[in-house]
Amino acid sequence: MVTVEDIGKRVEDDEGRVGILRDVIPDYEDPAELPWRRRKQPIAFLGPEQGGREWLVPPGHVERLETQA
């Protein structure tokens, strides 16, 4: 699981997608949902390493990749 301390680090989600952790919001509400269907949930924002469309994943489904020396 990732935390705010991992922001800016390389991470991998459960589907094998690798990216950079952009943010972790513990009480995110999806603005695309109708107001009465919104619920607060923890969400991690990940961005592709080479740029592109960001994706959202629960933080428990993301692991930090260790850097090799």
Side-chain angles (χ1 to χ4, degrees), residues 3-30:
T3 66
V4 294
E5 295 175 4
D6 298 312
I7 292 174
K9 308 291 188 210
R10 290 182 77 229
V11 295
E12 181 177 11
D13 69 12
D14 283 352
E15 294 184 21
R17 296 178 292 186
V18 176
I20 305 296
L21 181 65
R22 301 292 184 211
D23 201 358
V24 177
I25 299 177
D27 57 353
Y28 178 76
E29 291 184 29
D30 187 351

Side-chain angles (χ1 to χ4, degrees), residues 2 10-19 44 46 55-65:
V2 294
R10 290 182 77 229
V11 295
E12 181 177 11
D13 69 12
D14 283 352
E15 294 184 21
R17 296 178 292 186
V18 176
L46 285 65
W55 71 97
L56 311 177
V57 183
H61 294 258
V62 182
E63 293 295 326
R64 182 176 168 185
L65 293 175

